[in-house]
Amino acid sequence: MTITLRPGSTVLFTGDSITDCQRLESEEGFGFGYPLRVAGEWGFRHPDRPVTWLNTANGGDKVMDLEARWQADVLDARPDLVSILVGVNDMGWHTIDPKGYVIPVEEFEAGYDRLLAPLAEAGTKLILIEPFLLPIHGVVEAGVALIGEEERKEWRADLDPKIQVVRELARKYGAHLIAADDMFAELAATTGPEHWAADGVHPTPAGHAALAAAWLRLVA
C-alpha cells in the first residue's frame, strides 16, 4: 500500500551524508541528492498537491548522533512523513575515525528503535532506507583510513546484521522499506558497482536517481 501525500503535508528526510548532500551549501537548503530529485519529481507530477520538503541530514552522522538532535531537527517539525537513511557510519566508524569503535548491533538496534518510537506514537508515516555497501574495486580514502578489499569485507560483515535490524524495525513499526542494499547489488550486477557509487557508499547521480525512483514508488 502506498503512502498518500495530501496537500500541505510535510515530508522530512534525515540521516547522514548520503542524504545531506551539502544541503547547507545549496541555495534552497536541500542539497543535490535523492531528496532534491524526489521533491522535484513530485512537484512535476502533482502541481495540485504542494508539499513542504525538509532535509535535516548531517554528513558523518550515526544513529547516536541522530538521537542527540532528534527532538529539535525532527520531532519539533511535526512532519507527516519521515524518511531515514542511516547506518553506514555505524558500520565504518571504527576505521574512519581514530576515536571510533565497533558499534555492536544491539546498540545500533536500541538507538534506532528510540528514534522511531515517538514518531510511531504520533502517527507519523515512515520510510526506512536500509544502509548499503557496493562491492567496488581498488582502494579509496575514508576519513583517515584507506579502504581496500579487506576493509570492505570487514565492513560487510558488520553491516549485514544492521541491515537486518532496519528490516525488522520496519516490520515492527509498519514502516515502508527501501531495500537499497539489494537494489544496488542487482543494479551493479549488470553495470558494475562504480556506476552507482564510486566509493561504494556515496551514490553517483545515477545512484541518487535510483534511490529517488524507489522512494517515489512508495508514495501516491
Side-chain angles (χ1 to χ4, degrees):
M1 182 179 295
T2 56
I3 298 170
T4 299
L5 293 181
R6 294 182 169 81
S9 295
T10 296
V11 177
L12 187 148
F13 295 88
T14 198
D16 53 35
S17 61
I18 300 170
T19 305
D20 180 342
C21 290
Q22 299 177 348
R23 64 180 177 86
L24 296 179
E25 300 171 27
S26 62
E27 184 175 343
E28 68 289 324
F30 217 65
F32 61 79
Y34 73 93
L36 179 64
R37 291 172 180 266
V38 166
E41 184 65 24
W42 176 268
F44 174 70
R45 295 181 189 180
H46 305 286
D48 58 327
R49 280 192 278 163
V51 170
T52 297
W53 304 93
L54 303 175
N55 184 352
T56 66
N58 281 339
D61 269 11
K62 303 172 291 299
V63 164
M64 67 177 72
D65 301 309
L66 290 184
E67 274 200 272
R69 60 188 183 85
W70 202 242
Q71 183 68 49
D73 282 3
V74 177
L75 300 181
D76 287 352
R78 301 176 63 87
D80 300 286
L81 168 62
V82 172
S83 176
I84 306 169
L85 170 51
V86 69
V88 165
N89 296 302
D90 295 84
M91 166 194 73
W93 192 36
H94 60 292
T95 52
I96 63 177
D97 187 336
K99 298 179 181 179
Y101 61 85
V102 175
I103 297 176
V105 66
E106 295 81 8
E107 181 179 330
F108 177 79
E109 180 175 17
Y112 209 136
D113 190 276
R114 289 191 293 269
L115 297 179
L116 298 178
L119 294 170
E121 184 177 350
T124 308
K125 298 179 177 65
L126 297 168
I127 293 177
L128 306 187
I129 306 175
E130 67 186 26
F132 50 87
L133 179 65
L134 280 76
I136 64 164
H137 306 287
V139 176
V140 298
E141 292 185 15
V144 299
L146 295 177
I147 307 301
E149 299 297 331
E150 290 304 312
E151 289 80 10
R152 280 190 287 275
K153 288 180 182 177
E154 178 188 333
W155 281 11
R156 170 52 66 181
D158 188 15
L159 184 63
D160 281 344
K162 288 168 181 166
I163 289 174
Q164 292 304 315
V165 163
V166 177
R167 294 175 179 178
E168 291 164 7
L169 289 173
R171 287 191 290 270
K172 175 179 178 179
Y173 287 103
H176 287 67
L177 175 73
I178 296 178
D181 193 61
D182 284 351
M183 176 187 76
F184 280 124
E186 183 176 346
L187 291 170
T190 56
T191 63
E194 288 83 359
H195 181 74
W196 307 101
D199 64 358
V201 171
H202 296 93
T204 61
H208 280 291
L211 284 173
W215 201 99
L216 286 162
R217 285 193 288 272
L218 300 179
V219 300

